[in-house]
Amino acid sequence: MSNLNREMPWVADLYGELQLAEPSKKKTLASHFPGLALVSVVACAALWLSEHYGPPAILMGLLIGLALNFVSSDKRLSVGLDFSSQTLLRIGIVLIGIRVSFEEISSLGILSFVALIGIMSAVIATGLIAARLFKQDILFGLLAGGATAICGASAALALWSIIGKERISQSRFTIVLLGTTVASACAMTFYPAIAGFLALSDKQAGFLIGASVHDVAQAIGGGFSYSPEAGEVATVVKLSRVTLLAPVLIIVAFILQRTTQTSSGSNVSLKQGMPWFIVGFILLVILNSMIILPTIVVEIGSQAAKTLLLFAVIAAAMKSNLAGLMSHGWRSFGPVAMTTFVAFLLSLLFVQML
């Protein structure tokens, strides 16, 4: 037995003591390659499936990543997966700002913008209430409500980076990611048909779709599937929601920082409460508002943001514990379902007054 343990020490490592005792390996450029290469292959597959069969690339990447979650046990992949789900995520969030400008937001009109803020606030509040109803904690409801209210998977990733995996586990985060992605895909399919059944005008349909569909691509696609005019309105409304991502992240960061300060007695600092990627997002929005960026720059930046967020979704799915994900049960999807319904209902009520 002693010889076996010397040759295969992990046989006797029931609780992971040997792994903990191993010295931490220095992260080099080469150590990132295996994980990044795998994520890149899955991203290409997701994009191919999306292009040829129509489902959102984010959804395809999420499902393939979940199917490959067993690869996370290979330590050679961990550095690349962590880099994709953390660093590339933050860079992608910064690049989202390249599509947003204050001029587009002002074109929405003060009444519609105020209504949009009210709808988003109500949706986030619904997430908090739904978390209690389905016996989840408040932060899980905040994650579900914020993802639904702002921009789906992108907002879920951004909020989770602020909240932290210590407060919300990888598997519970994946539940929100999966729920919002599926709900957004369904909304893109059915909301234009509902708008047509209700005989909504182009402006009404555009606001309804832009204010209630979660992900940016699905909201814009759903709007243009109704009419070109509805697509333009949906684009402005949706990008206005994306702009509000930064204030929501700042508020959440300061609340969590204040909570930590209250419990530990430490001081709150602006540097701790304002993550660099939020600052980058705001600065890019300001830059895009002050000067007209070349079309090629906007297109490349927008595509880079989509790609990096796709990488982050795939890596997060691969790192998820699928058994733990299934153990949470259907109740975990309750907050996403309720916030999705409330977002659609309130948006529909407002467009009836337009």
Side-chain angles (χ1 to χ4, degrees):
M1 179 64 70
S2 60
N3 292 334
L4 178 63
N5 286 342
R6 281 194 298 271
E7 296 174 2
M8 301 170 63
W10 47 266
V11 171
D13 187 23
L14 297 180
Y15 301 102
E17 294 92 338
L18 295 180
Q19 180 181 344
L20 294 174
E22 291 178 356
S24 59
K25 297 180 179 180
K26 184 178 180 180
K27 295 180 181 179
T28 63
L29 186 60
S31 66
H32 289 74
F33 179 76
L36 284 173
L38 179 60
V39 172
S40 300
V41 171
V42 175
C44 290
L47 291 170
W48 187 90
L49 289 170
S50 176
E51 181 180 351
H52 287 78
Y53 296 100
I58 288 285
L59 178 59
M60 290 295 95
L62 177 62
L63 295 178
I64 298 174
L66 287 173
L68 295 175
N69 77 307
F70 60 88
V71 302
S72 61
S73 60
D74 191 334
K75 301 303 179 184
R76 294 171 298 179
L77 302 174
S78 60
V79 176
L81 293 180
D82 290 340
F83 181 78
S84 298
S85 63
Q86 297 172 18
T87 304
L88 295 187
L89 162 64
R90 289 164 170 80
I91 298 173
I93 292 171
V94 172
L95 291 178
I96 292 175
I98 203 168
R99 299 183 57 181
V100 184
S101 68
F102 296 125
E103 181 181 358
E104 292 175 330
I105 299 171
S106 62
S107 67
L108 187 62
I110 185 64
L111 178 61
S112 297
F113 187 69
V114 170
L116 192 62
I117 294 177
I119 292 170
M120 292 175 60
S121 301
V123 170
I124 294 175
T126 300
L128 302 179
I129 296 171
R132 290 301 189 190
L133 292 176
F134 290 97
K135 298 181 180 179
Q136 305 287 339
D137 61 80
I138 287 293
L139 289 178
F140 184 81
L142 174 64
L143 181 63
T148 304
I150 306 171
C151 51
S154 303
L157 290 162
L159 282 168
W160 190 57
S161 68
I162 294 291
I163 297 172
K165 61 182 179 180
E166 298 81 11
R167 296 184 177 97
I168 296 181
S169 66
Q170 186 89 39
S171 61
R172 296 173 71 212
F173 162 70
T174 306
I175 287 173
V176 174
L177 199 60
L178 179 61
T180 53
T181 304
V182 172
S184 185
C186 293
M188 180 187 66
T189 303
F190 293 108
Y191 287 5
I194 295 174
F197 177 77
L198 297 175
L200 299 181
S201 67
D202 293 332
K203 183 178 180 180
Q204 289 175 318
F207 187 93
L208 172 65
I209 295 169
S212 57
V213 177
H214 310 331
D215 286 322
V216 175
Q218 281 85 331
I220 296 174
F224 277 101
S225 70
Y226 190 84
S227 72
E229 293 77 13
E232 293 175 0
V233 175
T235 300
V236 173
V237 173
K238 186 59 194 178
L239 292 180
S240 298
R241 289 170 64 191
V242 174
T243 306
L244 295 172
L245 173 65
V248 171
L249 292 179
I250 292 172
I251 292 171
V252 171
F254 274 107
I255 290 176
L256 292 177
Q257 186 68 26
R258 177 56 75 81
T259 302
T260 304
Q261 178 226 3
T262 302
S263 59
S264 63
S266 59
N267 294 323
V268 179
S269 68
L270 183 62
K271 183 178 180 181
Q272 290 174 320
M274 184 79 75
W276 65 266
F277 57 91
I278 301 179
V279 177
F281 174 86
I282 295 173
L283 291 177
L284 199 53
V285 173
I286 294 174
L287 176 64
N288 194 31
S289 302
M290 294 178 62
I291 63 175
I292 300 177
L293 297 175
T295 304
I296 186 64
V297 173
V298 175
E299 291 179 353
I300 292 175
S302 178
Q303 188 58 48
K306 292 179 182 178
T307 303
L308 293 178
L309 292 176
L310 177 60
F311 272 48
V313 166
I314 292 170
M318 286 181 176
K319 292 168 60 180
S320 299
N321 182 348
L322 193 57
L325 177 66
M326 300 301 293
S327 68
H328 289 289
W330 66 269
R331 287 180 177 272
S332 297
F333 293 95
V336 173
M338 284 190 64
T339 51
T340 299
F341 175 75
V342 169
F344 174 77
L345 180 62
L346 293 179
S347 300
L348 182 60
L349 289 175
F350 176 74
V351 299
Q352 298 295 330
M353 298 183 294
L354 288 178

